[in-house]
Amino acid sequence: MSASTPVSRRATRMLRRTPIWLLVAVLLVIVGYPLIWLLLGSFKSQREFLESPTWALPEQWNFDNYIVAWDTAGLGQSLFNSAITVLPSLFLMLLLGTAAAFALEVLVWKGRNGVLIIFLAGIMVPTQMILLPLFSTYFQLGLTGSLWPLIITYTATGLPLTVFLMATYFRAIPREVFEAATLDGASIYRQFFSIALPMMKNGLFTVGLVQFFFFWNDLLIALTFANSGDLRTLQVGLLNFNGQFGTTQYGPLFAAISINVFALLIIYLVLNQRIQKGLTAGAVKG
């Protein structure tokens, strides 16, 4: 009787965990199946897409679709346009957003709470509402036909959330650090660049990565301001695979999407621990 007690306890624990395992298995299928289907589709020919079942494996494992996507469809140029648009936007957004959060949380001045509320109100403004006036403004300034409208728009739309998150991280830094720096004769600029920024590196990394995914995957803003052939970003460039010569080139399309999706997935998996550390950095004061 006593020998069977541990066995029965293990069986009971396994039965209790079975619903959890089933739920995890279902979630893995829901998340994993589209990725596997996308990857397999990137190796199929146009005939296989039209004649074979969707679950069928590719008849040949070749990289012709990736070559077509990269060279013929201009995926390389689209990736380059996305990079030179997103990276400067991130730099400006993080620099300006962190400086604003520093001024709102560390410095003491009248009306800072009202300014913070104005920044937070920017989060509630839908992007669709500002596209038409922005397009008119950029046209009058002569900025259309370049990537500057994307850089400016990404920087401006990302500032409200960046200021809010960075202000939260600044609340976790003891004020005695900046008071001691002031007593030692450090200026505001030295406190910001030599003290605040190094202490905020986890927060900067996390906010920058989150905003990077938003900017990189944007289609609406990029389609509005950069829809010409030499200015297309990656998401707009993917539309080139639709409707060419009256047909949709599914193989190159799946290959291009696979490059985008799996590259971002690898970046997230590699930096996952850093993201979690940054997300929890502002939760504890001390």
Side-chain angles (χ1 to χ4, degrees), residues 48-59:
E48 291 178 83
F49 274 103
L50 298 177
E51 299 178 2
S52 302
T54 57
W55 60 83
L57 294 176
E59 295 178 1

Side-chain angles (χ1 to χ4, degrees), residues 184-207:
D184 290 339
S187 64
I188 295 297
Y189 300 103
R190 184 172 180 80
Q191 292 182 38
F192 177 70
F193 287 104
S194 300
I195 299 176
L197 287 183
M199 296 182 69
M200 299 289 290
K201 59 182 180 180
N202 284 334
L204 286 169
F205 183 85
T206 303
V207 174

Side-chain angles (χ1 to χ4, degrees), residues 102-120:
F102 177 81
L104 291 170
E105 288 297 327
V106 177
L107 304 182
V108 179
W109 48 280
K110 186 176 181 180
R112 61 176 184 170
N113 292 330
V115 175
L116 179 59
I117 293 176
I118 294 175
F119 273 107
L120 297 180

Side-chain angles (χ1 to χ4, degrees), residues 43-116:
F43 294 99
K44 292 183 178 181
S45 64
Q46 186 76 355
R47 180 185 60 80
E48 291 178 83
F49 274 103
L50 298 177
E51 299 178 2
S52 302
T54 57
W55 60 83
L57 294 176
E59 295 178 1
Q60 277 188 321
W61 298 84
N62 57 67
F63 291 88
D64 292 343
N65 289 331
Y66 288 90
I67 297 175
V68 172
W70 188 268
D71 294 333
T72 306
L75 185 63
Q77 181 64 40
S78 299
L79 283 170
F80 177 76
N81 290 338
S82 291
I84 64 175
T85 299
V86 171
L87 296 181
S89 302
L90 282 177
F91 175 78
L92 292 174
M93 180 201 65
L94 290 175
L95 179 62
L96 298 176
T98 306
F102 177 81
L104 291 170
E105 288 297 327
V106 177
L107 304 182
V108 179
W109 48 280
K110 186 176 181 180
R112 61 176 184 170
N113 292 330
V115 175
L116 179 59

Side-chain angles (χ1 to χ4, degrees), residues 228-261:
S228 61
D230 57 340
L231 297 178
R232 289 190 179 105
T233 60
L234 179 59
Q235 306 306 325
V236 180
L238 292 176
L239 298 179
N240 288 342
F241 299 97
N242 292 330
Q244 285 187 333
F245 309 110
T247 61
T248 299
Q249 302 298 317
Y250 294 105
L253 174 62
F254 275 52
I257 296 175
S258 297
I259 293 175
N260 182 37
V261 170

